[in-house]
Amino acid sequence: MDRGTVVTLNDELLAGLGAPGLEQIAGMLGTDQLTARHVIEAVSATIVGGLARNAAHPDGADALRGALDDHMDADPFNGDVASLTRDGHSILGHVLGAQGTEQAATTLARLAGVGSSAIMKLMPLIAPMIMSLLANRATERGMDAATLADDLDGEQAAVPAELGDLVDGLLGDILGGERAAAAGGVLAVPDGTGSDAGEHVQRRLVTGAAAR
């Protein structure tokens, strides 16, 4: 499938948020809108990557496909923040676990140059949005568990290379896998250039601050 012609979940997420939503998230993070876009992309990629890893197993794919039905009628872009956050924490608990969510927030916050508490507030808001968008897509395209898993694999493939390496390493450390985080440092990549790659991602995430 040609991913170049496909609108990704992150694209749909940014469209759903619109300029007002992006401005609110930038305010939450204490940064500019360009940096906020990069942070949203990183959070989205982490959540989608976690869903993809769960869906890589048939039982996990079946469970995810069933869970999407509960998000069909939701409108997380205009919902109550408190209920949205509760739903988000539940989703993140299943996808990353409580400790894994905190670890992801700490890593993404460090790379973006924002506070981890702000990322911990953002992640449970983004998670229900991702689930709602994925639920609508699965229904519109008549996806079963297997095609849903394939679609999530495609979403991972569409993530920019530097961010993809970061997310793979982070999820490998949280959920297990070939890549793991270097102790106290930047997430490792297979060629041994983890520090350089991580610094490049960090520059990418904070580009907006320098561009003002």
Side-chain angles (χ1 to χ4, degrees):
M1 179 170 58
D2 179 10
R3 296 299 302 177
T5 63
V6 174
V7 176
T8 67
L9 287 171
N10 186 67
D11 294 332
E12 295 181 41
L13 174 62
L14 289 170
L17 288 169
L22 187 60
E23 183 177 0
Q24 287 181 350
I25 289 174
M28 178 192 303
L29 297 173
T31 188
D32 59 278
Q33 292 191 31
L34 181 58
T35 300
R37 286 177 68 95
H38 291 319
V39 172
I40 291 167
E41 182 180 28
V43 169
S44 172
T46 301
I47 295 170
V48 170
L51 291 171
R53 288 195 177 221
N54 281 301
H57 306 282
D59 288 347
D62 286 337
L64 175 58
R65 185 63 188 89
L68 291 180
D69 291 337
D70 295 332
H71 292 81
M72 269 305 301
D73 297 324
D75 182 11
F77 296 99
N78 295 293
D80 174 68
V81 172
S83 60
L84 194 64
T85 299
R86 285 194 298 271
D87 186 26
H89 279 301
S90 177
I91 294 167
L92 292 170
H94 284 96
V95 176
L96 300 175
Q99 185 174 351
T101 299
E102 291 182 7
Q103 183 176 344
T106 299
T107 299
L108 296 177
R110 184 179 69 245
L111 293 173
V114 300
S116 60
S117 61
I119 301 293
M120 280 296 293
K121 291 178 181 178
L122 178 62
M123 290 182 70
L125 295 178
I126 296 297
M129 296 177 185
I130 293 292
M131 287 290 284
S132 178
L133 293 170
L134 189 58
N136 290 335
R137 177 186 292 184
T139 299
E140 290 170 2
R141 300 183 186 178
M143 292 181 182
D144 59 15
T147 53
L148 175 62
D150 288 342
D151 188 74
L152 287 169
D153 285 342
E155 285 287 332
Q156 286 188 295
V159 174
E162 302 98 332
L163 180 58
D165 284 338
L166 167 70
V167 171
D168 281 351
L170 176 58
L171 292 174
D173 194 40
I174 294 172
L175 303 174
E178 294 180 0
R179 300 177 183 178
V186 180
L187 299 174
V189 293
D191 62 3
T193 59
S195 180
D196 290 341
E199 289 172 2
H200 186 76
V201 172
Q202 184 174 18
R203 288 195 298 272
R204 181 174 177 275
L205 288 177
V206 301
T207 297
R212 283 189 291 180

